Amino acid sequence: MSEIEGLSPLHGRALVTGGTSGIGYAFSRALAARGCDLVLVARDAERLASVADALTRRYGVDVEVLQADLSDQSDVERVAERLRTDERPVEVLVNNAGHGLHDPIASGDHLAIHTRAVDVMIRAVLVLAGTAGHVMAERGHGVIINIGSVAGMIAQNNYSAIKAWVNTFSDALSLELEGTGVRVLTLIPGWVRTEFHDRAAIRTSKIPDWLWLDADRLVRDALNDVDRGKDRSLPSTRFAIIAFLIRHAPRPLVRWGTAMLRRGAKH
């Protein structure tokens, strides 16, 4: 809990990228249920308006919408400018926007897909978290939640490489902002039941039911971890064990397991 207020640091206005679907929408609902006003960032204007209206009616919070494509640098800058403003300040940032990426790397035909993914899931995360960290540190309080992944602990594909960057970047930002009043949480989920996998055309039928996580439970646990002052949130005991095994198992065994996962995914 906040040392100054004796309350949760999760208050005020929260900006959620990709806040209208999947894990982002679960964050939007959970934060609204806690009384946070919202700034929702997404590409689809119609869906933004629909989700904003639904959240306002259900939770009675103020919801701004900001249509932006985070692969576009000028759109990222518009979102960063919203983080800088002192009018209706953003006190919680959830860097969630992203998408699946299972296209081959060694193919000239697919490089544009990979560079766009880097723009959305690395460059935008860097710019928005860096901007928020600076502004929040000057105010002396704030929360930044970056969505990494257990996939970032293996070398399955370029999505793994991108999420490895997010995991490390978020930990580094947490250390840099220690003592400023700004908390940084790295959320490291595994497989979560959302539309994420369908959008990426990823075959999931071979993934056992016991490995799937519920998005609302994932987010609830993550927000509770913020309240507890943690800097990492690894949802569920099973994924904590999987992460431990990935870190400590012999590399050839991890490589073999990663290869098996690759064969089960649709390219």
Side-chain angles (χ1 to χ4, degrees), residues 173-246:
L173 185 64
S174 176
L175 286 170
E176 180 177 326
L177 294 176
E178 192 170 352
T180 66
V182 182
R183 298 187 185 182
V184 180
L185 181 81
T186 311
L187 174 57
I188 307 179
W191 286 285
V192 184
R193 290 200 184 279
T194 69
E195 60 196 78
F196 175 91
H197 299 92
D198 293 336
R199 285 182 171 182
I202 299 170
R203 187 166 59 208
T204 61
S205 59
K206 293 185 178 181
I207 301 172
D209 286 342
W210 63 270
L211 277 176
W212 287 99
L213 299 170
D214 173 73
D216 291 323
R217 173 63 185 274
L218 169 84
V219 169
R220 184 168 65 249
D221 289 349
L223 297 181
N224 287 339
D225 283 340
V226 172
D227 286 336
R228 296 185 185 104
K230 293 186 176 182
D231 58 12
R232 272 200 169 196
S233 183
L234 255 167
S236 82
T237 301
R238 56 190 179 277
F239 275 103
I241 293 172
I242 289 171
F244 177 86
L245 292 175
I246 290 171

Side-chain angles (χ1 to χ4, degrees), residues 14-28 31 38-43 48 64 66 68-70 75-76 78-80 82-83 90 92-99 120-121 124-129 132 144-147 163 199:
L15 187 150
V16 185
T17 66
T20 60
S21 63
I23 293 173
Y25 187 30
F27 267 108
S28 298
L31 289 164
L38 298 171
V39 182
L40 302 182
V41 179
R43 289 183 298 166
L48 274 168
E64 299 174 48
L66 185 52
D69 180 348
L70 297 185
D75 279 11
V76 173
R78 286 196 299 110
V79 180
R82 179 62 187 86
L83 291 168
V90 171
V92 179
L93 167 66
V94 181
N95 256 326
N96 163 79
H99 56 81
V120 173
M121 293 186 280
V125 171
L126 171 65
V127 171
L128 299 183
I144 299 170
I145 301 173
N146 297 312
I147 313 302
K163 286 302 182 178
R199 285 182 171 182

